[in-house]
Amino acid sequence: KQEVTQIPAALSVPEGENLVLNCSFTDSAIYNLQWFRQDPGKGLTSLLLIQSSQREQTSGRLNASLDKSSGRSTLYIAASQPGDSATYLCAVRRNRDDKIIFGKGTRLHILP
Amino acid sequence: NAGVTQTPKFRVLKTGQSMTLLCAQDMNHEYMYWYRQDPGMGLRLIHYSVGEGTTAKGEVPDGYNVSRLKKQNFLLGLESAAPSQTSVYFCASNRDRRILLTSTDTQYFGPGTRLTVL
């Protein structure tokens, strides 16, 4: 059974700092891994998607890495801003049945 | 391009009542999903569909039924609502990876339906 874990559950950092969010998964037979952002009371917005054959993806100040063999992914946010405050979720798509399994998310608060 | 839309946005039911949530997407996606999101539980997959006329169970399917009669619509039904089904429901869609291998086969989400069962 695929389990996705995100650590930490919550994080507060001062504005301007670089930070890393972690995601781990138990079954390496994945098709891709996706990072999402969710603002309070809103839906999910896709940030980055990494195919299983890729090692990383970048978009602006965001960089996501994937180590499929160890079952880990990280989301790196550079020069954090108060507008980055949100919950960040990672999700893996299983190879065998295309189910997408989510972690419980990391609630990020950037202090002005 | 409206993306993924959900109807209704809010609903209050009494225990035992029934209702149907509608999800529609205009991106010609093959795959569609229904999730529920509860505090401290993250998103959990209820049912999903890999194409018109197909459905499959997710992690928490009990108490729900789904139908995919048209490619663009995915309906989630509650036949006899229970307080445990109070939640925020999200619909999502994405392309079939076997048709098009691309890094842009991201999953797109609707805005959610907030359901309260009294």
Side-chain angles (χ1 to χ4, degrees):
Chain A
K1 180 185 175 186
Q2 178 69 274
E3 293 182 359
V4 180
T5 303
Q6 291 187 245
I7 294 174
L11 181 64
S12 293
V13 299
E15 179 179 3
E17 283 198 5
N18 304 324
L19 59 100
V20 174
L21 307 181
N22 296 294
C23 173
S24 62
F25 47 95
T26 54
D27 185 352
S28 62
I30 65 170
Y31 175 64
N32 62 33
L33 182 145
Q34 198 165 351
W35 282 93
F36 292 87
R37 169 187 173 133
Q38 185 177 29
D39 293 291
K42 303 292 185 182
L44 279 71
T45 301
S46 178
L47 297 173
L48 290 165
L49 181 146
I50 312 176
Q51 300 289 9
S52 62
S53 59
Q54 297 175 325
R55 299 284 288 183
E56 65 177 350
Q57 283 285 334
T58 299
S59 176
R61 294 182 294 109
L62 305 179
N63 176 278
S65 68
L66 174 65
D67 185 341
K68 198 174 74 163
S69 60
S70 67
R72 294 180 182 179
S73 176
T74 61
L75 178 66
Y76 175 83
I77 302 177
S80 59
Q81 303 170 358
D84 295 331
S85 297
T87 296
Y88 291 80
L89 298 108
C90 76
V92 297
R93 187 171 178 183
R94 300 201 305 204
N95 262 335
R96 59 182 175 89
D97 57 9
D98 282 304
K99 282 184 182 177
I100 298 177
I101 309 298
F102 278 81
K104 294 182 180 180
T106 293
R107 195 167 59 255
L108 176 65
H109 182 49
I110 306 299
L111 305 167
Chain B
N1 222 356
V4 181
T5 58
Q6 292 183 230
T7 308
K9 289 186 170 53
F10 302 94
R11 186 72 185 268
V12 178
L13 291 178
K14 295 181 180 178
T15 297
Q17 287 185 319
S18 64
M19 78 162 294
T20 300
L21 281 67
L22 170 64
C23 176
Q25 52 92 7
D26 60 1
M27 297 172 282
N28 202 34
H29 284 169
E30 290 78 21
Y31 289 9
M32 298 186 74
Y33 305 79
W34 275 108
Y35 296 91
R36 60 178 289 174
Q37 186 175 38
D38 303 289
M41 300 294 292
L43 272 85
R44 292 181 291 171
L45 182 63
I46 305 172
H47 286 282
Y48 67 111
S49 167
V50 300
E52 182 179 322
T54 74
T55 63
K57 293 181 180 180
E59 303 170 80
V60 289
D62 294 341
Y64 304 95
N65 57 75
V66 288
S67 65
R68 183 99 181 267
L69 298 179
K70 294 182 179 180
K71 186 177 183 179
Q72 64 269 32
N73 296 335
F74 195 28
L75 278 65
L76 178 71
L78 286 73
E79 289 189 348
S80 180
S84 62
Q85 294 177 305
T86 294
S87 187
V88 180
Y89 291 85
F90 287 102
C91 175
S93 71
N94 55 254
R95 287 190 283 203
D96 183 345
R97 61 185 169 109
R98 293 164 296 186
I99 294 177
L100 187 65
L101 289 176
T102 170
S103 63
T104 61
D105 63 338
T106 59
Q107 194 177 41
Y108 296 87
F109 276 77
T113 294
R114 189 172 295 274
L115 175 66
T116 301
V117 183
L118 303 175

